[in-house]
Amino acid sequence: DIDPSVEDTRENAASKEIFEGEIKELFTKERLTDDKAILGIDVSKWNRDIDWNKVKSAGIDFAIIRCGYRGSSTGALVEDPYFLKNITNAKAAGVNVGVYFFTQAINEVEAVEEASMVLMLCKSKELDYPIYIDTEGAGGSGRADQLGKEMRTKVCDAFCKTIQNGGETSGIYASKSWFDNNLIMSELSDYEVWLAQYAKEPTYEGTYGMWQYTSSGNVDGIATRTDLNLSYHDYSKGWKTNGQD
């Protein structure tokens, strides 16, 4: 049996990057005055049961739903136990959907294995948003925590290429410092970027299509604190990866 307390150890790296000017309150209405910004959330089993009709009524247009993860200790591939319920009910409520997978791959072979699992889980799900690889730390003791920049870049490239070969748009989720220090972004320009940085304005100098700006959102229909995101592309209307912001 898989012990989630040992295996499911995604670390919210963006929270470690909070600096002076951090969002103390949510300025959602002001941010939506940007005519390109679309408000969305990302969720996993940690958000427990969700009333997706209330979420939609609260003004949420899209949700990036975790479909699974690789165990930080054993390396086992695990489907998020809320994935099927979340994606089915979100779509039924009219919320556009994408997915993410928390990687602990230590080489390209494992990255392809992860992406293949994601494609299988998403078969016939009619995604509106990209499939993202979530690359971040697992508390320092995760099996992939000590990867070098070159191998970590190869892992992301192999995952994203496999997703695109499967006919889906692919992308990479990470914090600003992770993009800056742990990946060679010049080798990943073919893929979408989902930036996590909790600040009034992002300071990441690369291109990005989506910005996770807080992990402390309050959304009707969700009992827990929720990550909030702004998308600068309407992926649901046929946006395809081209490496442009």
Side-chain angles (χ1 to χ4, degrees):
D1 292 340
I2 298 296
D3 180 355
S5 66
V6 175
E7 302 291 352
D8 194 0
T9 56
R10 173 187 176 192
E11 182 179 67
N12 195 332
S15 65
K16 294 185 174 181
E17 297 178 29
I18 293 174
F19 53 87
E20 192 172 350
E22 168 201 4
I23 296 175
K24 297 295 185 182
E25 301 291 339
L26 301 182
F27 300 105
T28 301
K29 290 182 180 178
E30 288 80 359
R31 293 189 180 283
L32 286 177
T33 59
D34 182 340
D35 62 4
K36 295 191 298 183
I38 303 170
L39 181 64
I41 59 176
D42 59 275
V43 297
S44 69
K45 72 177 187 184
W46 304 113
N47 299 101
R48 304 196 291 273
D49 289 308
I50 295 172
D51 185 329
W52 285 99
N53 289 313
K54 287 184 177 180
V55 168
K56 177 65 175 178
S57 296
I60 299 300
D61 187 79
F62 70 90
I64 310 301
I65 299 169
R66 189 177 74 163
C67 64
Y69 62 93
R70 185 184 287 276
S72 298
S73 178
T74 65
L77 295 175
V78 183
E79 179 181 350
D80 188 298
Y82 279 77
F83 171 61
L84 184 58
K85 179 190 296 186
N86 276 334
I87 198 167
T88 300
N89 293 343
K91 289 179 70 68
V95 177
N96 291 318
V97 297
V99 304
Y100 75 91
F101 183 92
F102 175 61
T103 183
Q104 279 288 283
I106 58 174
N107 55 47
E108 293 163 281
V109 172
E110 289 192 350
V112 171
E113 184 182 29
E114 291 177 351
S116 298
M117 174 186 174
V118 174
L119 289 171
M120 179 186 68
L121 290 173
C122 294
K123 187 177 181 180
S124 302
K125 295 296 188 295
E126 298 183 2
L127 301 180
D128 308 291
Y129 273 64
I131 293 173
Y132 295 93
I133 182 172
D134 175 356
T135 171
E136 55 187 308
S141 59
R143 64 198 301 274
D145 279 1
Q146 305 308 314
L147 286 183
K149 181 184 290 190
E150 183 174 339
M151 179 52 70
R152 198 179 301 280
T153 299
K154 289 181 178 179
V155 162
C156 290
D157 185 48
F159 181 98
C160 289
K161 277 183 178 174
T162 303
I163 295 299
Q164 293 195 170
N165 288 340
E168 300 288 351
T169 301
S170 61
I172 303 164
Y173 167 91
S175 66
K176 176 185 180 295
S177 68
W178 201 266
F179 281 124
D180 287 342
N181 301 316
N182 293 346
L183 293 168
I184 306 170
M185 293 307 295
S186 61
E187 298 181 8
L188 300 170
S189 59
D190 287 339
Y191 314 121
E192 294 298 295
V193 168
W194 174 12
L195 171 68
Q197 187 182 7
Y198 302 160
K200 286 185 176 179
E201 296 295 338
T203 58
Y204 177 61
E205 295 182 357
T207 60
Y208 54 94
M210 198 156 69
W211 172 33
Q212 183 189 87
Y213 63 90
T214 184
S215 62
S216 300
N218 290 300
V219 177
D220 193 24
I222 304 178
T224 65
R225 293 284 187 173
T226 308
D227 296 340
L228 294 180
N229 302 272
L230 293 176
S231 178
Y232 296 99
H233 302 308
D234 191 346
Y235 293 98
S236 67
K237 293 184 177 178
W239 174 273
K240 294 297 182 183
T241 296
N242 67 359
Q244 299 297 313
D245 181 23

